[in-house]
Amino acid sequence: MDTAHPSFPILVALFVLLLGVTSSQPYEEFLQCLEFHDSNITSIVYTRANSSFSSLLESSIRNPRFDTSATPKPLLIFTPRQISHIESAIRCSRAHRIQIRVRSGGHDYEGLSYSTISPSLTFLVLDLRNLRAIQVDVPSKTAWAQAGATLGELYYAIAAESRTLAFPAGICPTVGLGGQISGGGWGTLLRKYGLAADNVLDATVIDAKGRILNRASMGEDLFWAIRGGGGNTFGIVIAWKIKLVPVPATVTACTVTRTLEQNATEIVHRWQYVVDKLPNDVFFMVVLNSVANPVQANATTIQASFNSLYLGGIEGLIPMMDAKFPDLGLRRENCVEMSWAKSILYFAGFPLNSPLESLLDRTISATGSAKFKGKSDYVKEPIPISGFEGIWEKLKEVGVQTGGLILASYGGKMSEIPESSIPFPHRAGNIYQVEEVAFWVEDGVEAADGYLNWLRGLYEYMTPYVSKNPREAYANYRDLDIGRNGGGGEGDYRRARSWGSSYYKNNFDRLVRVKTAVDPANFFRNEQSIPPLSSWR
């Protein structure tokens, strides 16, 4: 054998790479293309024939609604261990016209990081689970974190170095950092420090040409776009350099629950007039749902759960709340002092005695085995009592704790940051954000349709009480009901404005211009990715 010549498989791979040949088994040519770039790379590729394919796919599906036999599955799952693997995947995907879906934590509300609404689409899942290194630098109050890390892993790494540093991101520990920042990322520190995306200093990105870029080489337009402009749109973010923020060694988390019989309606109504004006050190979240009536058999009532975080001790919180929000009746027994990292476990629903290592568990789902669908709104004027009474009637239409609303307080730092600072535009003028959500455990299309129709009815009911022209929405609570691109993510500027203006308001057009400049062929796309202007022409 003449070793001076390439082997036959490499010749085939080179041939299909140059010509873009497709076949009935496109992954075979894709694999050959990968081997052409790195002979050891196929060990991190899982095809449908691999015995680990299903377990790997399901391991980061956080919504069982998209884990059924009818859910479109990827051609293969690619789990890169180094940046060069992603470069090769991009080149080979372009050559063989295989679409890439990028998954860091698997929390996409419509499952678009690992699935599609188009059964005929040929796509792969690029799963970043192996790229989750975190380096915390306490003196500079910064950290580099790879996009495959979860929020829990990031918080644990920060806590291991300092009790008085934090990062203002979400409260669900299994959410991936890549997806969180790409849509904005809010948490209990938003009134003090803004969003996760507001606190990004640099990033490592691979663009559609396979180039590795940092902030200096990508330019300020692309750096602006990736901090809130949506994932799987402008490139693949490999790592973020983030700014860590100071927090007290001790914070206070509190929960007060009230039912209708305990004046919940009046307290929630009053909450609206107070919450955005409280000191920036206070965050409030109110969960509204239907529960069994504790005093009347076979009946339901509405429960309002007021959850708050104060950056300080109980001694400072109680007098403040007595003065500014006495209607709540907050007492010491409603509160627990803890570290900021522990407060994440508190808000995520963990038992109080849970060890900090619980943050490292990537398998926990916030909804358990329940399927769910979420929608979002922004409230700029207080909802009247009659409006809440109508909400109570809607909540009573479904079973106990199967539907609800989550109200998250705004104001503070969120009102100080300009709408155009990053793509996330929901700033001054918002009292609070609303998430409308439905949960169900029943299987089957009929059951799902029932809950989805109920949720859409609740969303329709909310119309008079929320933002208008556009009706604003939060990009990380992805909602295909408000509009979408074609089934394979084919973009159309005019069509995309229907949902793009809700997520990004006036920032949408700038996002389109950035997309047109960095990915005019629309290689990175999904059902709600930013389209290039070329799609309009």
Side-chain angles (χ1 to χ4, degrees), residues 309-532:
L309 181 74
Y310 173 61
L311 299 180
I314 293 177
E315 296 301 331
L317 175 63
I318 299 298
M320 178 201 307
M321 296 305 294
D322 284 345
K324 297 182 179 295
F325 191 21
D327 310 68
L328 183 61
L330 184 68
R331 298 292 178 262
R332 295 180 64 92
E333 56 266 27
N334 305 130
C335 303
V336 183
E337 293 183 334
M338 60 189 70
S339 68
W340 181 82
K342 276 276 194 174
S343 77
I344 297 297
L345 295 175
Y346 179 94
F347 275 86
F350 284 75
L352 283 176
N353 60 352
S354 298
L356 201 59
E357 286 74 17
S358 302
L359 291 170
L360 301 176
D361 190 341
R362 295 175 67 98
T363 66
I364 295 173
S365 172
T367 63
S369 60
K371 309 164 187 69
F372 73 91
K373 162 76 176 176
K375 303 175 80 66
S376 59
D377 272 310
Y378 288 86
V379 173
K380 300 176 184 294
E381 299 290 339
I383 297 174
I385 285 181
S386 60
F388 281 112
E389 290 172 341
I391 292 173
W392 307 157
E393 293 305 311
K394 297 298 293 184
L395 292 178
K396 289 179 179 180
E397 290 176 5
V398 291
V400 170
Q401 294 186 332
T402 57
L405 295 92
I406 302 172
L407 320 180
S409 61
Y410 267 48
K413 184 69 172 179
M414 291 296 286
S415 296
E416 300 169 10
I417 300 173
E419 286 191 0
S420 60
S421 176
I422 62 172
F424 179 100
H426 316 291
R427 305 291 187 172
N430 292 302
I431 303 174
Y432 55 94
Q433 173 190 279
V434 179
E435 180 183 7
E436 301 99 344
V437 65
F439 301 95
W440 65 96
V441 296
E442 300 92 330
D443 294 325
V445 174
E446 184 176 353
D449 285 347
Y451 286 101
L452 293 175
N453 289 335
W454 172 82
L455 181 62
R456 289 164 184 151
L458 174 62
Y459 184 76
E460 179 65 25
Y461 174 84
M462 294 292 293
T463 303
Y465 308 115
V466 298
S467 59
K468 300 171 179 64
N469 301 317
R471 183 169 182 173
E472 299 173 33
Y474 176 39
N476 270 351
Y477 293 164
R478 192 193 299 279
D479 180 9
L480 293 181
D481 288 350
I482 67 173
R484 59 180 176 82
N485 300 329
E490 295 81 5
D492 178 279
Y493 172 81
R494 288 170 292 187
R495 185 177 183 177
R497 281 198 64 87
S498 66
W499 54 265
S501 60
S502 292
Y503 290 147
Y504 307 114
K505 297 177 67 176
N506 293 331
N507 294 332
F508 176 72
D509 281 345
R510 183 180 176 187
L511 288 169
V512 171
R513 292 194 295 271
V514 175
K515 175 70 171 182
T516 305
V518 303
D519 186 15
N522 204 23
F523 174 67
F524 292 111
R525 65 185 186 272
N526 60 43
E527 288 82 346
Q528 273 191 351
S529 58
I530 301 295

Side-chain angles (χ1 to χ4, degrees), residues 175-305:
V175 166
L177 188 63
Q180 172 83 165
I181 295 178
S182 71
W186 72 268
T188 58
L189 295 178
L190 88 164
R191 300 190 69 252
K192 183 72 172 182
Y193 296 113
L195 307 172
D198 292 322
N199 291 274
V200 173
L201 302 172
D202 203 343
T204 303
V205 178
I206 303 183
D207 70 3
K209 297 178 181 179
R211 299 176 300 181
I212 302 173
L213 307 172
N214 60 17
R215 180 174 183 174
S217 58
M218 78 177 76
E220 287 303 301
D221 279 345
L222 180 54
F223 183 64
W224 174 84
I226 61 175
R227 292 174 294 149
N232 204 40
T233 293
F234 304 100
I236 299 175
V237 178
I238 305 303
W240 304 97
K241 183 180 182 181
I242 58 176
K243 178 173 64 177
L244 305 182
V245 299
V247 291
T250 298
V251 303
T252 304
C254 307
T255 298
V256 176
T257 59
R258 296 288 186 264
T259 63
L260 297 186
E261 294 75 17
Q262 298 169 315
N263 296 321
T265 305
E266 291 74 14
I267 299 172
V268 174
H269 179 254
R270 178 58 185 160
W271 175 85
Q272 301 175 106
Y273 291 88
V274 174
V275 68
D276 62 323
K277 302 173 184 64
L278 290 171
N280 294 9
D281 290 335
V282 180
F283 166 80
F284 256 106
M285 182 171 71
V286 182
V287 180
L288 306 172
N289 61 347
S290 173
V291 298
N293 193 316
V295 296
Q296 184 177 350
N298 302 317
T300 61
T301 187
I302 302 300
Q303 176 177 278
S305 179

Side-chain angles (χ1 to χ4, degrees), residues 134-176:
I134 300 168
Q135 295 178 322
V136 176
D137 186 352
V138 173
S140 67
K141 296 184 175 64
T142 63
W144 272 102
Q146 289 186 311
T150 64
L151 297 184
E153 289 169 336
L154 173 63
Y155 298 153
Y156 184 84
I158 295 171
E161 300 295 331
S162 172
R163 187 182 172 101
T164 57
L165 288 176
F167 183 62
I171 59 176
C172 180
T174 56
V175 166

